[in-house]
Amino acid sequence: MINTIKYSDILDKVASATSGLLTPTATSELNEDKAKFKELVEKSKYIKVPLVGVFSAGKSSLLNVFTGRPDVLPVDIMPETAVAYEIHYSTDEKVELFRNGKKIEEKSLPDIKSLSTTPGDIAIVHLNSEPIKQLQDKGIILVDMPGIGSGIDRHDAAIMNYINEGISFILLVDAEQGSLRGSTLVFLEELKKYNLRPAVLVSKIDKKPEKDVQDIIDYIAYQMSKLTEGIPYVSKVCAVDKNLQGLTTYLNGLDANAILRDRVSKNLKNIIDMAVADMQMQIDLKGKNIADIEKTMTIIENEINNLKPESPAISSQADTPEKSCQDILDNVNLALRQKGEEIAKMILNGTELEVIKSFITSVIRAELISSFKEEAEQYSDAIGTSIDKALSNLDGIKISDTDFNDIFGDLSTLAAEIARILGGQWGKIFALIQPFLKPILAFLSNIFGKNESEKLAEIKEKLQDACFSKIVENLRPGVYKLVKDNQKKIKDQYRQEVEAAFNRMKDGLQSKIAEANQSKEATIAEINRLNDAISTLKGIENSI
């Protein structure tokens, strides 16, 4: 069982150690942070493991064998009706359809195919299955995903739901396919951008001789070694023969408690660090005289009044929205150019237009998300440095580190925000590509009589001049708006952090003034209590 109770116990210990010792502002912050942390732990109590692959790779059939219920998940359904199916254990069997986090429909399990779905929906399948119960007791939930490379919004929307919730994707590859190809390779490269390492299972191995299957596994392992760090997990499965060893071995190797710890430990340590900083500030203030305190109070009031979004202390060292937007678009253009020859080969070889568009969309999406993340982190660092410099004359003001996750929540949140700004779905980018590809496809009729190398060079040049640059320029308005909005979020976050730190110090200063006539013994006793609490908190932090 995944141990979420541990973190509730730690929060209780923090509350007990700090009871009656924090300033009013810090007490309020602690209560808010505790509530947010409990929500994070609840959200993270299950590790979602999506199964992905091209349509007909055998994902649903394999999961039906795994659950021991051969007909529970829809098999051979049309791509247009596909959604993500999360498989949860329950004795009350049913299926619930969720859209944007809200339940919109519920049906009996036999009616699962009749759900009214739209892109990005998630179907929660409640199933009375002992293998699913055992997996869920370990904190792991399997997810049956729409197919890769379909050129349909549903796959893209579903994947974006799991780039943060899934610690790893399990990729199924049909043995008949023999290797990782086209849209699958692009998908894997995209996962790499999100720091996700997929496992690969070769399916339908009953259709190939054993030696051929091993050769396929070895070759895919070679392909994976060039895409990921470390030793890739590549194995085999077969729904027909009920051979699940490759799947169960991988799942048994996942440590859900360790994954949960990695996800939440930083947030928990930030809560403890805030409490420690508040108590240390109180200790430091007890050594100051009243004249110093009154002078400091005046400085703090002035600093709060000056803490505005346009203040030089907030933005002097940071990129402008225009500069950040251009950096992101340059990265997208470069990513497309790096794939130029590969796209040119697809065009020359007559690859379906939908596949080419899906390929380009994946390249753009991955680069947009990683570039926005990088720009946000750089901007946050610049703002933090500016504020630290501006406040260097105020001892005791401690500003916690603000990072990407503090601003955006997670990659999936950022992905959804980018999609919203660019038109609501990643399919809007998908639709944008076609007009710029048409002249290139028409150009093919004019390059007869040339060798393949010359044809590739000309198509690649046309892509760069007539396609990539125009796609990038069409992205500019949406990218600029998102950069500008997100820079404001970062400024606001820092301003709130600084104001909270100021208010904690004001509380401490006012307490010092109120205790002006307190005996030396009483002051020493308070300092000892604060030091004891700090030692306790540091011990708790070291145990996380």
Side-chain angles (χ1 to χ4, degrees):
M1 179 74 71
I2 194 165
N3 191 1
T4 57
I5 297 175
K6 167 185 175 181
Y7 298 100
S8 295
D9 290 343
I10 290 176
L11 278 180
D12 290 341
K13 290 177 182 178
V14 171
S16 176
T18 58
S19 179
L21 295 176
L22 298 178
T23 62
T25 297
T27 299
S28 177
E29 282 186 80
L30 179 63
N31 290 333
E32 290 179 10
D33 289 343
K34 283 169 57 180
K36 291 178 182 177
F37 183 77
K38 287 179 179 178
E39 288 180 9
L40 173 64
V41 172
E42 178 64 23
K43 182 181 177 182
S44 304
K45 69 179 180 180
Y46 293 124
I47 307 304
K48 309 287 178 66
V49 181
L51 271 73
V52 297
V54 297
F55 280 106
S56 76
K59 303 182 302 298
S60 300
S61 297
L62 183 69
L63 286 173
N64 284 340
V65 172
F66 180 84
T67 62
R69 301 285 295 278
D71 301 319
V72 69
L73 290 174
V75 179
D76 296 328
I77 58 175
M78 292 299 292
E80 290 81 2
T81 61
V83 296
Y85 294 94
E86 290 187 9
I87 310 174
H88 294 241
Y89 170 76
S90 176
T91 54
D92 179 20
E93 295 198 332
K94 60 185 175 181
V95 58
E96 299 172 303
L97 188 67
F98 287 81
R99 184 171 300 155
N100 299 321
K102 295 181 180 179
K103 187 168 82 168
I104 61 167
E105 192 175 2
E106 180 178 322
K107 290 184 178 292
S108 64
L109 211 49
D111 295 326
I112 191 170
K113 288 187 179 181
S114 65
L115 291 171
S116 302
T117 64
T118 62
D121 288 353
I122 295 175
I124 307 296
V125 179
H126 298 272
L127 188 64
N128 188 2
S129 163
E130 184 59 28
I132 293 300
K133 180 180 185 300
Q134 292 176 9
L135 204 59
Q136 188 164 308
D137 285 346
K138 288 183 59 179
I140 297 172
I141 299 291
L142 289 176
V143 187
D144 184 17
M145 302 293 287
I148 298 172
S150 62
I152 294 169
D153 281 350
R154 294 172 190 273
H155 169 257
D156 291 336
I159 289 298
M160 290 301 103
N161 284 325
Y162 292 98
I163 59 174
N164 249 85
E165 289 197 57
I167 185 64
S168 182
F169 283 62
I170 298 176
L171 173 67
L172 253 64
V173 178
D174 188 336
E176 295 283 357
Q177 183 175 316
S179 64
L180 304 176
R181 302 177 190 171
S183 57
T184 303
L185 284 168
V186 174
F187 174 67
L188 290 173
E189 290 185 8
E190 184 173 352
L191 291 185
K192 184 178 179 181
K193 291 272 188 179
Y194 313 141
N195 296 318
L196 292 171
R197 292 178 55 191
V200 178
L201 298 176
V202 179
S203 63
K204 302 184 179 180
I205 58 174
D206 57 305
K207 297 181 179 181
K208 290 281 186 179
E210 187 175 341
K211 182 182 181 305
D212 289 353
V213 171
Q214 189 56 51
D215 288 342
I216 292 169
I217 290 173
D218 291 342
Y219 184 68
I220 290 177
Y222 166 73
Q223 289 181 293
M224 290 291 294
S225 69
K226 296 195 294 184
L227 290 170
T228 63
E229 296 178 0
I231 300 174
Y233 183 91
V234 184
S235 189
K236 59 187 177 181
V237 289
C238 184
V240 171
D241 297 336
K242 297 184 178 180
N243 179 356
L244 303 177
Q245 185 174 348
L247 174 63
T248 55
T249 298
Y250 178 74
L251 294 174
N252 289 337
L254 294 177
D255 186 341
N257 282 304
I259 294 166
L260 175 64
R261 182 180 64 246
D262 290 342
R263 285 184 178 177
V264 306
S265 60
K266 180 179 178 182
N267 300 69
L268 187 52
K269 288 179 179 180
N270 284 342
I271 292 173
I272 294 173
D273 288 345
M274 183 279 292
V276 169
D278 182 75
M279 290 189 289
Q280 187 60 58
M281 176 267 296
Q282 293 182 61
I283 292 171
D284 295 340
L285 288 178
K286 292 183 182 298
K288 290 182 175 290
N289 60 50
I290 296 297
D292 289 339
I293 288 174
E294 291 176 342
K295 179 181 177 182
T296 303
M297 287 279 280
T298 301
I299 293 173
I300 287 176
E301 292 292 349
N302 290 334
E303 291 289 352
I304 291 177
N305 291 333
N306 290 331
L307 200 62
K308 300 174 182 177
E310 64 274 13
S311 168
I314 295 273
S315 57
S316 61
Q317 298 183 22
D319 282 351
T320 63
E322 292 79 8
K323 170 69 165 56
S324 187
C325 173
Q326 189 60 53
D327 288 345
I328 291 169
L329 294 177
D330 287 346
N331 289 343
V332 172
N333 196 19
L334 177 60
L336 287 169
R337 286 174 177 268
Q338 288 174 339
K339 294 293 182 182
E341 184 161 347
E342 198 168 345
I343 297 169
K345 285 181 180 178
M346 294 171 74
I347 292 171
L348 188 60
N349 293 335
T351 303
E352 291 181 11
L353 180 59
E354 295 299 290
V355 175
I356 297 172
K357 287 160 60 180
S358 182
F359 184 106
I360 295 174
T361 301
S362 183
V363 172
I364 293 171
R365 178 177 59 227
E367 192 56 52
L368 280 175
I369 291 171
S370 62
S371 293
F372 268 114
K373 177 179 183 295
E374 181 181 350
E375 286 295 314
E377 289 171 341
Q378 290 176 352
Y379 189 81
S380 181
D381 288 344
I383 296 295
T385 300
S386 295
I387 289 177
D388 286 344
K389 184 177 179 181
L391 302 180
S392 59
N393 62 326
L394 281 177
D395 293 334
I397 297 290
K398 303 294 184 185
I399 308 300
S400 62
D401 293 334
T402 298
D403 64 15
F404 168 80
N405 286 335
D406 293 329
I407 302 298
F408 302 105
D410 51 43
L411 282 176
S412 56
T413 302
L414 176 62
E417 182 68 4
I418 296 173
R420 184 185 67 79
I421 289 293
L422 297 179
Q425 292 289 343
W426 289 103
K428 297 294 183 180
I429 295 179
F430 193 84
L432 170 70
I433 295 167
Q434 184 159 327
F436 303 122
L437 276 178
K438 278 187 174 180
I440 298 168
L441 296 174
F443 170 73
L444 286 175
S445 61
N446 299 320
I447 57 175
F448 291 113
K450 298 182 180 181
N451 62 41
E452 184 168 323
S453 178
E454 290 172 332
K455 292 177 182 179
L456 279 175
E458 291 198 33
I459 295 172
K460 185 177 177 181
E461 183 180 354
K462 288 285 184 183
L463 281 169
Q464 292 173 348
D465 295 341
C467 184
F468 297 160
S469 58
K470 291 179 179 176
I471 290 173
V472 168
E473 281 308 307
N474 275 267
L475 292 174
R476 185 179 296 277
V479 170
Y480 176 78
K481 183 179 187 310
L482 186 55
V483 167
K484 190 172 182 180
D485 290 348
N486 286 342
Q487 286 191 356
K488 182 179 183 303
K489 287 181 184 178
I490 293 171
K491 288 179 184 178
D492 289 344
Q493 177 88 3
Y494 267 109
R495 188 166 68 254
Q496 291 168 13
E497 296 250 358
V498 173
E499 288 179 350
F502 281 161
N503 287 328
R504 289 197 298 270
M505 178 165 271
K506 284 175 64 178
D507 289 346
L509 292 169
Q510 289 165 348
S511 177
K512 170 65 179 178
I513 293 172
E515 298 167 358
N517 297 321
Q518 183 174 272
S519 69
K520 180 179 179 181
E521 290 75 14
T523 300
I524 291 173
E526 285 189 7
I527 291 174
N528 288 338
R529 284 198 299 273
L530 290 166
N531 277 322
D532 288 345
I534 289 173
S535 296
T536 299
L537 290 180
K538 289 184 175 179
I540 294 171
E541 188 169 15
N542 290 334
S543 70
I544 296 173

